[in-house]
Each structure stands twice: as C-alpha cells, then as structure tokens.
PDB file of all heavy atoms in Angstrom:
ATOM      1  N   PHE A   1      -2.789  -1.311   3.071  1.00  0.00           N
ATOM      2  CA  PHE A   1      -2.504  -2.137   1.966  1.00  0.00           C
ATOM      3  C   PHE A   1      -3.239  -1.852   0.796  1.00  0.00           C
ATOM      4  O   PHE A   1      -2.644  -1.709  -0.345  1.00  0.00           O
ATOM      5  CB  PHE A   1      -2.769  -3.631   2.339  1.00  0.00           C
ATOM      6  CG  PHE A   1      -2.576  -4.686   1.356  1.00  0.00           C
ATOM      7  CD1 PHE A   1      -1.307  -4.975   0.984  1.00  0.00           C
ATOM      8  CD2 PHE A   1      -3.636  -5.206   0.637  1.00  0.00           C
ATOM      9  CE1 PHE A   1      -1.072  -5.904  -0.113  1.00  0.00           C
ATOM     10  CE2 PHE A   1      -3.518  -6.067  -0.426  1.00  0.00           C
ATOM     11  CZ  PHE A   1      -2.067  -6.429  -0.762  1.00  0.00           C
ATOM     12  N   GLU A   2      -4.548  -1.611   0.797  1.00  0.00           N
ATOM     13  CA  GLU A   2      -5.335  -1.347  -0.371  1.00  0.00           C
ATOM     14  C   GLU A   2      -4.922   0.043  -0.960  1.00  0.00           C
ATOM     15  O   GLU A   2      -5.027   0.101  -2.256  1.00  0.00           O
ATOM     16  CB  GLU A   2      -6.836  -1.423   0.036  1.00  0.00           C
ATOM     17  CG  GLU A   2      -7.230  -2.884   0.227  1.00  0.00           C
ATOM     18  CD  GLU A   2      -8.649  -2.999   1.023  1.00  0.00           C
ATOM     19  OE1 GLU A   2      -9.278  -1.940   1.181  1.00  0.00           O
ATOM     20  OE2 GLU A   2      -9.111  -4.064   1.308  1.00  0.00           O
ATOM     21  N   ALA A   3      -4.589   0.931  -0.178  1.00  0.00           N
ATOM     22  CA  ALA A   3      -4.185   2.324  -0.667  1.00  0.00           C
ATOM     23  C   ALA A   3      -2.831   2.070  -1.602  1.00  0.00           C
ATOM     24  O   ALA A   3      -2.819   2.721  -2.560  1.00  0.00           O
ATOM     25  CB  ALA A   3      -4.047   3.247   0.439  1.00  0.00           C
ATOM     26  N   ILE A   4      -2.010   1.350  -1.000  1.00  0.00           N
ATOM     27  CA  ILE A   4      -0.643   1.062  -1.643  1.00  0.00           C
ATOM     28  C   ILE A   4      -0.921   0.370  -3.033  1.00  0.00           C
ATOM     29  O   ILE A   4      -0.405   0.758  -4.040  1.00  0.00           O
ATOM     30  CB  ILE A   4       0.312   0.294  -0.830  1.00  0.00           C
ATOM     31  CG1 ILE A   4       0.833   1.281   0.271  1.00  0.00           C
ATOM     32  CG2 ILE A   4       1.397  -0.367  -1.728  1.00  0.00           C
ATOM     33  CD1 ILE A   4       1.645   0.613   1.276  1.00  0.00           C
ATOM     34  N   MET A   5      -1.797  -0.612  -3.066  1.00  0.00           N
ATOM     35  CA  MET A   5      -2.025  -1.291  -4.332  1.00  0.00           C
ATOM     36  C   MET A   5      -2.783  -0.557  -5.227  1.00  0.00           C
ATOM     37  O   MET A   5      -2.512  -0.560  -6.487  1.00  0.00           O
ATOM     38  CB  MET A   5      -2.869  -2.647  -3.944  1.00  0.00           C
ATOM     39  CG  MET A   5      -2.160  -3.623  -3.099  1.00  0.00           C
ATOM     40  SD  MET A   5      -0.516  -4.087  -3.596  1.00  0.00           S
ATOM     41  CE  MET A   5      -0.789  -4.631  -5.214  1.00  0.00           C
ATOM     42  N   ARG A   6      -3.642   0.455  -4.815  1.00  0.00           N
ATOM     43  CA  ARG A   6      -4.314   1.351  -5.797  1.00  0.00           C
ATOM     44  C   ARG A   6      -3.241   2.180  -6.421  1.00  0.00           C
ATOM     45  O   ARG A   6      -3.343   2.392  -7.609  1.00  0.00           O
ATOM     46  CB  ARG A   6      -5.316   2.248  -4.980  1.00  0.00           C
ATOM     47  CG  ARG A   6      -6.617   1.677  -4.954  1.00  0.00           C
ATOM     48  CD  ARG A   6      -7.733   2.831  -4.555  1.00  0.00           C
ATOM     49  NE  ARG A   6      -7.423   3.471  -3.100  1.00  0.00           N
ATOM     50  CZ  ARG A   6      -7.685   2.882  -2.098  1.00  0.00           C
ATOM     51  NH1 ARG A   6      -8.381   1.694  -2.115  1.00  0.00           N
ATOM     52  NH2 ARG A   6      -7.436   3.595  -0.955  1.00  0.00           N
ATOM     53  N   TRP A   7      -2.271   2.721  -5.619  1.00  0.00           N
ATOM     54  CA  TRP A   7      -1.197   3.623  -6.145  1.00  0.00           C
ATOM     55  C   TRP A   7      -0.343   2.791  -7.245  1.00  0.00           C
ATOM     56  O   TRP A   7      -0.100   3.326  -8.319  1.00  0.00           O
ATOM     57  CB  TRP A   7      -0.301   4.176  -5.105  1.00  0.00           C
ATOM     58  CG  TRP A   7       0.722   5.002  -5.450  1.00  0.00           C
ATOM     59  CD1 TRP A   7       0.653   6.329  -5.694  1.00  0.00           C
ATOM     60  CD2 TRP A   7       2.142   4.727  -5.770  1.00  0.00           C
ATOM     61  NE1 TRP A   7       1.840   6.989  -6.141  1.00  0.00           N
ATOM     62  CE2 TRP A   7       2.735   5.873  -6.150  1.00  0.00           C
ATOM     63  CE3 TRP A   7       2.823   3.574  -5.827  1.00  0.00           C
ATOM     64  CZ2 TRP A   7       3.997   6.016  -6.485  1.00  0.00           C
ATOM     65  CZ3 TRP A   7       4.139   3.621  -6.073  1.00  0.00           C
ATOM     66  CH2 TRP A   7       4.808   4.678  -6.477  1.00  0.00           C
ATOM     67  N   VAL A   8       0.057   1.566  -6.880  1.00  0.00           N
ATOM     68  CA  VAL A   8       1.010   0.776  -7.714  1.00  0.00           C
ATOM     69  C   VAL A   8       0.253   0.425  -9.042  1.00  0.00           C
ATOM     70  O   VAL A   8       0.809   0.555 -10.076  1.00  0.00           O
ATOM     71  CB  VAL A   8       1.375  -0.516  -7.049  1.00  0.00           C
ATOM     72  CG1 VAL A   8       2.084  -1.441  -7.979  1.00  0.00           C
ATOM     73  CG2 VAL A   8       2.404  -0.197  -5.839  1.00  0.00           C
ATOM     74  N   LYS A   9      -1.046   0.091  -8.856  1.00  0.00           N
ATOM     75  CA  LYS A   9      -1.866  -0.309 -10.051  1.00  0.00           C
ATOM     76  C   LYS A   9      -2.178   0.772 -11.030  1.00  0.00           C
ATOM     77  O   LYS A   9      -2.590   0.591 -12.256  1.00  0.00           O
ATOM     78  CB  LYS A   9      -3.020  -1.110  -9.746  1.00  0.00           C
ATOM     79  CG  LYS A   9      -2.727  -2.572  -9.075  1.00  0.00           C
ATOM     80  CD  LYS A   9      -3.993  -3.283  -8.604  1.00  0.00           C
ATOM     81  CE  LYS A   9      -3.629  -4.512  -8.109  1.00  0.00           C
ATOM     82  NZ  LYS A   9      -4.881  -5.299  -7.732  1.00  0.00           N
ATOM     83  N   LYS A  10      -1.953   2.026 -10.640  1.00  0.00           N
ATOM     84  CA  LYS A  10      -2.177   3.185 -11.429  1.00  0.00           C
ATOM     85  C   LYS A  10      -1.200   3.091 -12.583  1.00  0.00           C
ATOM     86  O   LYS A  10      -1.502   3.565 -13.846  1.00  0.00           O
ATOM     87  CB  LYS A  10      -2.003   4.440 -10.769  1.00  0.00           C
ATOM     88  CG  LYS A  10      -2.077   5.720 -11.510  1.00  0.00           C
ATOM     89  CD  LYS A  10      -3.334   6.107 -12.022  1.00  0.00           C
ATOM     90  CE  LYS A  10      -3.384   7.483 -12.739  1.00  0.00           C
ATOM     91  NZ  LYS A  10      -4.696   7.766 -13.391  1.00  0.00           N
ATOM     92  N   ASP A  11      -0.078   2.655 -12.433  1.00  0.00           N
ATOM     93  CA  ASP A  11       1.153   2.460 -13.450  1.00  0.00           C
ATOM     94  C   ASP A  11       1.991   1.317 -13.095  1.00  0.00           C
ATOM     95  O   ASP A  11       3.155   1.456 -12.554  1.00  0.00           O
ATOM     96  CB  ASP A  11       1.882   3.747 -13.462  1.00  0.00           C
ATOM     97  CG  ASP A  11       2.766   3.834 -14.779  1.00  0.00           C
ATOM     98  OD1 ASP A  11       2.953   2.742 -15.366  1.00  0.00           O
ATOM     99  OD2 ASP A  11       3.459   4.795 -15.033  1.00  0.00           O
ATOM    100  N   PRO A  12       1.502   0.072 -13.196  1.00  0.00           N
ATOM    101  CA  PRO A  12       2.200  -1.129 -12.516  1.00  0.00           C
ATOM    102  C   PRO A  12       3.622  -1.289 -13.301  1.00  0.00           C
ATOM    103  O   PRO A  12       4.582  -1.676 -12.518  1.00  0.00           O
ATOM    104  CB  PRO A  12       1.259  -2.399 -12.919  1.00  0.00           C
ATOM    105  CG  PRO A  12       0.149  -1.750 -13.934  1.00  0.00           C
ATOM    106  CD  PRO A  12       0.149  -0.354 -13.649  1.00  0.00           C
ATOM    107  N   GLU A  13       3.751  -0.950 -14.593  1.00  0.00           N
ATOM    108  CA  GLU A  13       5.024  -1.178 -15.102  1.00  0.00           C
ATOM    109  C   GLU A  13       6.142  -0.312 -14.565  1.00  0.00           C
ATOM    110  O   GLU A  13       7.252  -0.724 -14.315  1.00  0.00           O
ATOM    111  CB  GLU A  13       4.921  -0.871 -16.624  1.00  0.00           C
ATOM    112  CG  GLU A  13       4.233  -1.935 -17.429  1.00  0.00           C
ATOM    113  CD  GLU A  13       4.334  -1.648 -18.915  1.00  0.00           C
ATOM    114  OE1 GLU A  13       5.186  -0.941 -19.398  1.00  0.00           O
ATOM    115  OE2 GLU A  13       3.458  -2.310 -19.677  1.00  0.00           O
ATOM    116  N   LEU A  14       5.743   0.878 -14.113  1.00  0.00           N
ATOM    117  CA  LEU A  14       6.780   1.789 -13.630  1.00  0.00           C
ATOM    118  C   LEU A  14       6.798   1.679 -12.087  1.00  0.00           C
ATOM    119  O   LEU A  14       7.880   1.854 -11.547  1.00  0.00           O
ATOM    120  CB  LEU A  14       6.405   3.353 -13.967  1.00  0.00           C
ATOM    121  CG  LEU A  14       7.424   4.304 -13.640  1.00  0.00           C
ATOM    122  CD1 LEU A  14       8.698   4.131 -14.592  1.00  0.00           C
ATOM    123  CD2 LEU A  14       6.874   5.664 -14.076  1.00  0.00           C
ATOM    124  N   ARG A  15       5.704   1.282 -11.348  1.00  0.00           N
ATOM    125  CA  ARG A  15       5.631   1.422  -9.981  1.00  0.00           C
ATOM    126  C   ARG A  15       5.760   0.099  -9.183  1.00  0.00           C
ATOM    127  O   ARG A  15       6.058   0.107  -8.025  1.00  0.00           O
ATOM    128  CB  ARG A  15       4.271   2.091  -9.563  1.00  0.00           C
ATOM    129  CG  ARG A  15       4.055   3.519 -10.020  1.00  0.00           C
ATOM    130  CD  ARG A  15       2.807   4.118  -9.674  1.00  0.00           C
ATOM    131  NE  ARG A  15       2.778   5.561  -9.985  1.00  0.00           N
ATOM    132  CZ  ARG A  15       1.742   6.404  -9.596  1.00  0.00           C
ATOM    133  NH1 ARG A  15       0.611   5.875  -9.017  1.00  0.00           N
ATOM    134  NH2 ARG A  15       1.811   7.578  -9.899  1.00  0.00           N
ATOM    135  N   SER A  16       5.813  -1.013  -9.990  1.00  0.00           N
ATOM    136  CA  SER A  16       5.757  -2.323  -9.226  1.00  0.00           C
ATOM    137  C   SER A  16       7.109  -2.494  -8.515  1.00  0.00           C
ATOM    138  O   SER A  16       7.276  -3.132  -7.407  1.00  0.00           O
ATOM    139  CB  SER A  16       5.578  -3.452 -10.132  1.00  0.00           C
ATOM    140  OG  SER A  16       6.590  -3.523 -11.295  1.00  0.00           O
ATOM    141  N   LYS A  17       8.116  -1.869  -8.952  1.00  0.00           N
ATOM    142  CA  LYS A  17       9.461  -2.010  -8.287  1.00  0.00           C
ATOM    143  C   LYS A  17       9.512  -1.383  -7.104  1.00  0.00           C
ATOM    144  O   LYS A  17      10.427  -1.688  -6.204  1.00  0.00           O
ATOM    145  CB  LYS A  17      10.560  -1.266  -9.371  1.00  0.00           C
ATOM    146  CG  LYS A  17      10.543   0.310  -9.334  1.00  0.00           C
ATOM    147  CD  LYS A  17      11.590   0.935 -10.224  1.00  0.00           C
ATOM    148  CE  LYS A  17      11.625   2.413 -10.165  1.00  0.00           C
ATOM    149  NZ  LYS A  17      10.389   3.039 -10.305  1.00  0.00           N
ATOM    150  N   ASP A  18       8.598  -0.388  -6.757  1.00  0.00           N
ATOM    151  CA  ASP A  18       8.475   0.212  -5.433  1.00  0.00           C
ATOM    152  C   ASP A  18       7.674  -0.514  -4.444  1.00  0.00           C
ATOM    153  O   ASP A  18       7.647  -0.117  -3.249  1.00  0.00           O
ATOM    154  CB  ASP A  18       7.813   1.663  -5.542  1.00  0.00           C
ATOM    155  CG  ASP A  18       8.696   2.709  -6.536  1.00  0.00           C
ATOM    156  OD1 ASP A  18       9.963   2.599  -6.276  1.00  0.00           O
ATOM    157  OD2 ASP A  18       8.116   3.175  -7.447  1.00  0.00           O
ATOM    158  N   LEU A  19       7.038  -1.618  -4.860  1.00  0.00           N
ATOM    159  CA  LEU A  19       6.060  -2.282  -4.047  1.00  0.00           C
ATOM    160  C   LEU A  19       6.726  -2.825  -2.707  1.00  0.00           C
ATOM    161  O   LEU A  19       6.285  -2.656  -1.629  1.00  0.00           O
ATOM    162  CB  LEU A  19       5.237  -3.333  -4.774  1.00  0.00           C
ATOM    163  CG  LEU A  19       4.248  -4.091  -3.934  1.00  0.00           C
ATOM    164  CD1 LEU A  19       3.196  -3.256  -3.329  1.00  0.00           C
ATOM    165  CD2 LEU A  19       3.532  -5.182  -4.799  1.00  0.00           C
ATOM    166  N   PRO A  20       7.897  -3.563  -2.936  1.00  0.00           N
ATOM    167  CA  PRO A  20       8.485  -4.091  -1.672  1.00  0.00           C
ATOM    168  C   PRO A  20       8.826  -3.156  -0.673  1.00  0.00           C
ATOM    169  O   PRO A  20       8.610  -3.350   0.648  1.00  0.00           O
ATOM    170  CB  PRO A  20       9.814  -4.821  -2.254  1.00  0.00           C
ATOM    171  CG  PRO A  20       9.515  -4.996  -3.684  1.00  0.00           C
ATOM    172  CD  PRO A  20       8.691  -3.922  -4.067  1.00  0.00           C
ATOM    173  N   GLN A  21       9.342  -1.919  -0.914  1.00  0.00           N
ATOM    174  CA  GLN A  21       9.538  -0.920   0.042  1.00  0.00           C
ATOM    175  C   GLN A  21       8.277  -0.397   0.604  1.00  0.00           C
ATOM    176  O   GLN A  21       8.327  -0.119   1.802  1.00  0.00           O
ATOM    177  CB  GLN A  21      10.470   0.187  -0.693  1.00  0.00           C
ATOM    178  CG  GLN A  21      10.908   1.245   0.333  1.00  0.00           C
ATOM    179  CD  GLN A  21      11.768   2.345  -0.308  1.00  0.00           C
ATOM    180  OE1 GLN A  21      11.554   2.628  -1.531  1.00  0.00           O
ATOM    181  NE2 GLN A  21      12.584   3.005   0.416  1.00  0.00           N
ATOM    182  N   LEU A  22       7.351  -0.192  -0.163  1.00  0.00           N
ATOM    183  CA  LEU A  22       6.040   0.333   0.399  1.00  0.00           C
ATOM    184  C   LEU A  22       5.418  -0.705   1.321  1.00  0.00           C
ATOM    185  O   LEU A  22       4.828  -0.451   2.351  1.00  0.00           O
ATOM    186  CB  LEU A  22       5.132   0.675  -0.726  1.00  0.00           C
ATOM    187  CG  LEU A  22       5.414   2.076  -1.491  1.00  0.00           C
ATOM    188  CD1 LEU A  22       4.788   2.081  -2.824  1.00  0.00           C
ATOM    189  CD2 LEU A  22       5.369   3.284  -0.680  1.00  0.00           C
ATOM    190  N   LEU A  23       5.383  -1.924   0.846  1.00  0.00           N
ATOM    191  CA  LEU A  23       4.756  -3.013   1.505  1.00  0.00           C
ATOM    192  C   LEU A  23       5.503  -3.243   2.852  1.00  0.00           C
ATOM    193  O   LEU A  23       4.722  -3.715   3.910  1.00  0.00           O
ATOM    194  CB  LEU A  23       4.826  -4.428   0.754  1.00  0.00           C
ATOM    195  CG  LEU A  23       3.752  -5.350   1.266  1.00  0.00           C
ATOM    196  CD1 LEU A  23       2.334  -4.938   1.010  1.00  0.00           C
ATOM    197  CD2 LEU A  23       3.971  -6.615   0.488  1.00  0.00           C
ATOM    198  N   ALA A  24       6.707  -2.959   2.891  1.00  0.00           N
ATOM    199  CA  ALA A  24       7.500  -3.135   4.273  1.00  0.00           C
ATOM    200  C   ALA A  24       6.910  -2.072   5.371  1.00  0.00           C
ATOM    201  O   ALA A  24       7.174  -2.360   6.390  1.00  0.00           O
ATOM    202  CB  ALA A  24       8.959  -2.884   3.992  1.00  0.00           C
ATOM    203  N   ALA A  25       6.218  -1.014   4.798  1.00  0.00           N
ATOM    204  CA  ALA A  25       5.752   0.003   5.766  1.00  0.00           C
ATOM    205  C   ALA A  25       4.296  -0.443   6.245  1.00  0.00           C
ATOM    206  O   ALA A  25       3.823   0.155   7.145  1.00  0.00           O
ATOM    207  CB  ALA A  25       5.776   1.339   5.159  1.00  0.00           C
ATOM    208  N   VAL A  26       3.720  -1.422   5.653  1.00  0.00           N
ATOM    209  CA  VAL A  26       2.405  -1.883   6.093  1.00  0.00           C
ATOM    210  C   VAL A  26       2.599  -2.920   7.219  1.00  0.00           C
ATOM    211  O   VAL A  26       3.518  -3.779   7.122  1.00  0.00           O
ATOM    212  CB  VAL A  26       1.670  -2.632   4.899  1.00  0.00           C
ATOM    213  CG1 VAL A  26       0.353  -3.055   5.381  1.00  0.00           C
ATOM    214  CG2 VAL A  26       1.471  -1.653   3.638  1.00  0.00           C
TER     215      VAL A  26
END
C-alpha cells in the first residue's frame, strides 16, 4: 500500500486516476 501511494504522490494530478486499479491489487 505504501509503495503504491509513494508512486501516485510522485505526480498526483496525472496518477491519481490509476489509484483504484492499483489499490485493487493490494
């Protein structure tokens, strides 16, 4: 979970849309 959040927060405007799909893998 923390690794995914680190990746998303690197560019939240662009990457936040990918969070649901990534979080589903946690």
Side-chain angles (χ1 to χ4, degrees):
F1 173 75
E2 288 166 7
I4 283 173
M5 295 312 299
R6 271 196 300 278
W7 182 87
V8 172
K9 288 178 179 179
K10 172 72 174 174
D11 189 352
E13 286 187 16
L14 193 63
R15 296 179 173 183
S16 57
K17 70 180 188 312
D18 299 314
L19 181 58
Q21 188 181 20
L22 292 167
L23 198 61
V26 182

